[in-house]
Amino acid sequence: MTPEAKSQAIAAALILGGAGIVIYFMPSLVLWIGDFSPVLAVIVGTLLILCFFWIFWLRARYQRRRDR
């Protein structure tokens, strides 16, 4: 395995691990916030899911700039 491939695999594992932890705790967090405001709970849940895709978008953008 090349050093670049190893770095990419580690980064992907860290991102997926972090996302897994967030998704694991998200239902209880959203339910807790929903006790105060259902609208705020929807917003927080949506933002947590969008952050997962945002991180991969940022990483892809970084990779494209680095490869130039």
Side-chain angles (χ1 to χ4, degrees):
M1 182 179 268
T2 65
E4 183 178 330
K6 188 175 181 180
S7 172
Q8 291 174 354
I10 291 171
L14 289 174
I15 291 169
L16 287 174
I21 290 170
V22 168
I23 290 171
Y24 179 79
F25 289 109
M26 190 173 70
S28 58
L29 176 67
V30 170
L31 287 172
W32 178 73
I33 293 172
D35 289 339
F36 302 106
S37 169
V39 174
L40 185 60
V42 169
I43 291 169
V44 168
T46 302
L47 287 176
L48 287 173
I49 296 298
L50 287 176
C51 282
F52 176 72
F53 294 104
W54 181 68
I55 288 171
F56 278 111
W57 177 76
L58 282 177
R59 177 142 173 82
R61 193 172 155 168
Y62 169 76
Q63 290 294 327
R64 274 187 299 233
R65 283 189 180 175
R66 197 182 78 176
D67 291 342
R68 284 186 188 177

